[in-house]
Amino acid sequence: MNISIIYESKYGNGKQAMTYFGDYLKKKGDTVQLMSIHEIKPHLLPESDLYIFSAPNAFGKIVRSMRKFLEKIEIKNPNAHYILVNTCLNPSSIDDKGLEQMEEILREKNITKLSEGLKLRVMAMKGPLESGYEKKLDDLAETIQSSLKM
């Protein structure tokens, strides 16, 4: 399966998580492209079977740079799917709406949600990531494999 992981990472937590995730998916036999939103233009996304978008939340909202990026993306593969990952201080807060905001933008695009998104907790504003974040990403990879029957 061809997977594109597109992330925004303010303090390196999202990059760390998505690098781990990409390496794990590669070990499972997938072709993975990992890129920052600052390395690619939204209308030039590579054609993929699955897009994983990851961004930090700021005060319960998705960061502006990812929101603007998602608003401009063009998906060429009509059979493509997506999964979302957020890094945030308090994933259980009812005020944390980052995933919902990303989903709202993507509803307007030519892309289908594969499964529920994942919130990874950062322990302070600049990190580090919660212990055990790798297991959460491993479980998400298994969800991807079973959902797409690969």
Side-chain angles (χ1 to χ4, degrees):
M1 176 173 26
N2 188 10
I3 301 172
S4 290
I5 300 176
I6 299 103
Y7 68 90
E8 167 65 300
S9 186
K10 198 165 183 110
Y11 298 111
N13 298 299
K15 180 178 182 179
Q16 176 185 345
M18 291 303 99
T19 299
Y20 171 86
F21 197 37
D23 290 345
Y24 186 88
L25 291 166
K26 284 178 188 175
K27 288 178 190 170
K28 292 286 197 179
D30 296 310
T31 302
V32 178
Q33 298 176 79
L34 177 71
M35 62 206 92
S36 163
I37 63 170
H38 304 290
E39 298 170 341
I40 187 166
K41 299 207 180 296
H43 63 280
L44 295 177
L45 284 181
E47 192 168 324
S48 296
D49 303 309
L50 176 65
Y51 295 91
I52 300 168
F53 297 104
S54 174
N57 287 354
F59 305 104
K61 297 179 180 177
I62 195 67
V63 292
R64 184 176 189 264
S65 53
M66 179 56 95
R67 182 175 49 82
K68 292 290 187 189
F69 184 87
L70 291 175
E71 287 171 351
K72 295 176 183 175
I73 65 170
E74 295 177 14
I75 304 295
K76 296 168 185 78
N77 178 356
N79 299 313
H81 293 84
Y82 75 87
I83 290 181
L84 304 175
V85 178
N86 276 160
T87 54
C88 50
L89 282 171
N90 189 0
S92 60
S93 171
I94 60 169
D95 295 326
D96 187 280
K97 304 289 184 193
L99 288 176
E100 293 88 346
Q101 290 173 329
M102 292 172 78
E103 286 179 6
E104 186 176 322
I105 294 167
L106 291 172
R107 271 189 215 109
E108 314 252 330
K109 306 295 178 177
N110 186 28
I111 192 166
T112 305
K113 182 167 106 173
L114 182 66
S115 75
E116 292 304 313
L118 175 65
K119 294 180 182 183
L120 297 175
R121 183 172 185 219
V122 291
M123 304 311 291
M125 186 66 78
K126 295 183 180 180
L129 287 162
E130 64 185 322
S131 66
Y133 80 90
E134 299 96 336
K135 172 75 170 109
K136 290 182 177 183
L137 290 169
D138 294 351
D139 291 346
L140 184 59
E142 295 305 318
T143 298
I144 291 168
Q145 297 296 317
S146 63
S147 295
L148 294 177
K149 296 178 175 77
M150 299 310 268

